[in-house]
Amino acid sequence: DAKTTQPDSMESTEGETVHLPCSHATISGNEYIYWYRQVPLQGPEYVTHGLQQNTTNSMAFLAIASDRKSSTLILPHVSLRDAAVYHCILRPTGGNNKLTFGQGTVLSVIP
Amino acid sequence: EAAVTQSPRNKVAVTGGKVTLSCNQTNNHNNMYWYRQDTGHGLRLIHYSYGAGSTEKGDIPDGYKASRPSQENFSLILELATPSQTSVYFCASGDPGGAREQYFGPGTRLTVL
């Protein structure tokens, strides 16, 4: 399976904009970039996804490099509720559509 | 809103006993998945299904069976539970296709003594 590399942890202060990086140097042309987040004692929650173009929704902005070898999840004005483990995942368009989770980035938010 | 529920939420079983974890989705999704999550590991895929009557092996299927009797329900079965199967189990549903997100249930915490 294709791999992603994320920092183990990051810290932010409430109200700041957070940039969570993800490296995926061996990404294939048919692979989507997905972001999920997970808080303790809950299942993963979908955040956003993209293929080539930057995307935005109510939760986050996803910036994808032009060569698609890296991406950045941007969380504007974080709150304490955004503290979670953020997973960057590559998902092919075919097959069983399984998600392969790594360790992700633990985002801590300070009041 | 997409909904995936799991039961039980917590389970204590004895070694060698049979355990059944249940999952129900009201999203009318074709695909359903069972993952387990352990400290130091990300979620790992155990079994999945493309629809009623279908079950497929995931990355770590040994010691587990799955059953998909209907579009809505997907069960994970441990015929002979072992302490190594102590974990948190997550069920998910989703439609096929790369641009489709998966929706996860709240998880079942299983302890095998």
Side-chain angles (χ1 to χ4, degrees):
Chain A
D1 290 341
K3 301 293 186 184
T4 61
T5 302
Q6 300 176 251
D8 290 337
S9 63
M10 294 184 66
E11 188 177 271
S12 180
T13 303
E14 268 194 305
E16 288 184 342
T17 295
V18 174
H19 292 73
L20 299 174
C22 181
S23 173
H24 27 81
T26 59
I27 189 171
S28 299
N30 68 342
E31 287 179 318
Y32 283 82
I33 302 160
Y34 270 78
W35 285 83
Y36 279 78
R37 70 182 185 183
Q38 187 177 18
V39 298
L41 304 181
Q42 294 186 23
E45 177 188 24
Y46 166 82
V47 177
T48 190
H49 74 280
L51 184 61
Q52 290 184 320
Q53 306 298 319
N54 297 340
T55 63
T56 187
N57 62 21
S58 60
M59 295 179 70
F61 179 82
L62 176 60
I64 301 173
S66 57
D67 63 4
R68 300 208 325 127
K69 293 184 177 182
S70 65
S71 60
T72 302
L73 184 71
I74 301 169
L75 305 175
H77 311 297
V78 294
S79 69
L80 296 178
R81 292 176 300 175
D82 293 314
V85 180
Y86 286 80
H87 296 275
C88 171
I89 300 164
L90 302 184
R91 185 183 187 190
T93 55
N96 60 25
N97 298 131
K98 72 173 184 177
L99 296 171
T100 301
F101 285 77
Q103 296 304 303
T105 297
V106 178
L107 175 64
S108 301
V109 179
I110 302 170
Chain B
E1 183 174 313
V4 179
T5 57
Q6 296 181 230
S7 63
R9 294 294 312 279
N10 292 280
K11 173 74 176 179
V12 178
V14 296
T15 298
K18 181 177 181 179
V19 177
T20 300
L21 307 183
S22 299
C23 177
N24 177 273
Q25 56 110 351
T26 59
N27 311 316
N28 198 32
H29 288 154
N30 288 323
N31 291 6
M32 295 186 74
Y33 307 82
W34 276 107
Y35 297 87
R36 64 176 284 177
Q37 186 172 37
D38 304 288
T39 303
H41 292 275
L43 275 74
R44 293 181 289 174
L45 182 65
I46 305 170
H47 284 288
Y48 60 98
S49 168
Y50 290 122
S54 146
T55 61
E56 305 290 337
K57 294 181 179 180
D59 298 325
I60 53 166
D62 293 346
Y64 302 93
K65 291 183 179 180
S67 174
R68 182 87 181 270
S70 65
Q71 180 81 339
E72 298 79 18
N73 296 295
F74 191 36
S75 298
L76 186 67
I77 303 156
L78 291 66
E79 294 279 3
L80 294 170
T82 68
S84 65
Q85 294 175 312
T86 294
S87 186
V88 180
Y89 292 85
F90 290 100
C91 176
S93 74
D95 274 331
R100 298 284 190 267
E101 60 264 35
Q102 285 185 19
Y103 296 91
F104 284 81
T108 294
R109 183 173 298 275
L110 173 65
T111 302
V112 182
L113 302 176

